[in-house]
Amino acid sequence: MKKLIIALVGQPNVGKSHLANALSGSNLKIGNFAGVTIEKALAVFTKESYSIEMIDLPGLYSLDDFSADEKVTKDFLMNESYDLILNVVDSTNLERNLSLSTQLMELNKKMVIALNMDDEAQKEGIEIDAEYMSQLLGIPCVKVSSKTKANIDILTKTILHISDSEIHASKLFFSDPIEIELQKITTFLDEKHFHHKIYSNRSIAIGLLLQRKHIYALMHEFPLFI
Amino acid sequence: MNLSQTPKHIKVVIKTISAQSFLKKRLLSLGLSVGKEIEVTEMSLQKNTIKIALGFSAIALRMEEAQMIEVEVVA
């Protein structure tokens, strides 16, 4: 049986734990307010030929280390091994939620986006074109509701399908001035024949430009002369 | 006008946010960015905290943070 580790990531109070319960039949504690999950929780279940370990992480607004529980999640995402990120987003607050998704896309991991609370969104008159969104992001997006259990099966199938297929390069693009600078840094790294086993040169360039501490620390170890 | 001077229940649009990078990033990840339409919905008795509505969510801010957010009434 193949083992699959899934990290559930999303902003606070979007229904990560509720979705974990709906997917796995587990009984994690949930509540309608931010900050219920304060440490990693684990749900284990089997589906088809997979033994799936789902890690429910505390919610966070961004990967910027704002508070201790946000750091738990960030440290996990940066340092631990897992196969796939299941990014849970609140369909009624999509714009705010997607700012975290773009940061997750920088991590170069397999990713699936669960557009949760679709029942609420429909009630509010919000209709999301999940198929178009998947094309735009290059990440499968599935509309689900952990409350009504709608599309939970489709989400599980999507996760298994993605874990079987090759990882795609992220479709994260910035505005032109930033893209030009990224291109310069990437070209410089390419010219120096720099290769890192985890990060692509492009993601290192992004990390340097956005002043990500871990990328600075990483690059500090390699002598690159101009 | 900044957000701390904004009367309740008036729709305003964010013009500038003059916070340091760390706080600015935090406000951005909470969904507060230039061009967003917001509305003050509550104010604490001592006027040191305000509650604002942004889309389908509510955010509480300290008055000092509200002072950094410059807004304009929606015409």
Side-chain angles (χ1 to χ4, degrees):
Chain A
M1 207 185 254
K2 275 189 272 186
K3 201 172 153 192
L4 187 63
I5 303 174
I6 300 172
L8 267 162
V9 193
Q11 294 198 337
N13 202 23
V14 295
K16 291 175 294 297
S17 304
H18 200 173
L19 188 64
N21 287 348
L23 281 166
S24 68
S26 62
N27 195 15
L28 301 168
K29 194 176 166 194
I30 54 171
N32 180 26
F33 40 88
V36 177
T37 310
I38 48 167
E39 50 190 23
K40 299 183 286 201
L42 194 67
V44 185
F45 60 107
T46 52
K47 200 92 194 180
E48 291 170 27
S49 63
Y50 287 93
S51 153
I52 302 176
E53 241 182 71
M54 197 172 274
I55 297 161
D56 183 21
L57 294 158
L60 80 173
Y61 286 104
S62 64
L63 296 180
D64 297 323
D65 272 349
F66 189 78
S67 63
D69 51 330
E70 295 203 338
K71 204 166 178 313
V72 170
T73 305
K74 199 196 98 170
D75 287 347
F76 179 90
L77 291 173
M78 299 279 176
N79 306 322
E80 306 279 323
S81 76
Y82 52 94
D83 302 297
L84 187 142
I85 295 174
L86 177 56
N87 179 209
V88 187
V89 300
D90 175 354
S91 301
T92 65
N93 265 317
L94 204 53
E95 190 180 352
R96 187 192 74 197
N97 277 258
L98 287 176
S99 73
L100 175 66
S101 305
T102 54
Q103 291 193 323
L104 295 173
M105 284 165 79
E106 281 173 36
L107 296 172
N108 282 331
K109 285 277 183 177
K110 287 179 186 174
M111 194 161 139
V112 174
I113 293 180
L115 295 156
N116 202 12
M117 306 197 205
D118 190 47
D119 54 325
E120 283 290 326
Q122 281 178 12
K123 227 186 279 170
E124 303 280 358
I126 299 169
E127 188 66 51
I128 297 170
D129 189 341
E131 216 162 283
Y132 186 50
M133 193 173 153
S134 309
Q135 279 177 27
L136 278 179
L137 297 175
I139 296 169
C141 305
V142 187
K143 288 202 263 191
V144 295
S145 163
S146 40
K147 192 168 139 205
T148 64
K149 305 248 191 310
N151 287 351
I152 294 290
D153 288 347
I154 298 176
L155 180 62
T156 318
K157 283 202 183 92
T158 311
I159 291 171
L160 295 182
H161 175 73
I162 289 297
S163 69
D164 274 337
S165 42
E166 286 292 308
I167 185 163
H168 295 290
S170 114
K171 282 195 178 179
L172 188 62
F173 296 111
F174 295 85
S175 58
D176 285 351
I178 295 178
E179 280 297 335
I180 290 167
E181 296 308 319
L182 284 177
Q183 196 58 51
K184 277 186 198 163
I185 302 173
T186 313
T187 315
F188 172 76
L189 291 171
D190 288 343
E191 277 169 4
K192 300 285 172 189
H193 303 291
F194 182 81
H195 291 291
H196 191 268
K197 53 184 186 296
I198 302 174
Y199 299 103
S200 68
N201 283 349
R202 182 179 159 86
S203 43
I204 287 176
I206 295 172
L208 289 174
L209 260 194
L210 299 183
Q211 302 185 5
R212 302 263 182 258
K213 276 186 199 148
H214 61 282
I215 297 289
Y216 269 82
L218 178 107
M219 293 309 286
H220 192 75
E221 291 172 17
F222 302 99
L224 282 173
F225 300 108
I226 300 179
Chain B
M1 178 172 68
N2 69 49
L3 196 57
S4 71
Q5 305 155 328
T6 309
K8 278 202 261 181
H9 307 300
I10 289 182
K11 283 199 164 58
V12 291
V13 151
I14 302 181
K15 285 282 135 194
T16 55
I17 301 176
S18 50
Q20 291 296 307
S21 83
F22 195 60
L23 181 59
K24 200 167 186 171
K25 269 187 199 161
R26 183 64 178 178
L27 294 173
L28 193 65
S29 55
L30 292 172
L32 290 167
S33 56
V34 172
K36 284 287 161 59
E37 197 174 291
I38 55 176
E39 181 184 330
V40 176
T41 54
E42 304 280 351
M43 202 174 279
S44 67
L45 282 175
Q46 292 179 317
K47 293 198 188 304
N48 41 27
T49 316
I50 59 165
K51 179 178 162 188
I52 58 173
L54 166 78
F56 288 103
S57 52
I59 300 168
L61 288 179
R62 294 184 187 93
M63 221 29 122
E64 300 91 82
E65 289 150 4
Q67 281 164 0
M68 298 170 182
I69 299 173
E70 199 65 30
V71 294
E72 196 170 76
V73 178
V74 178

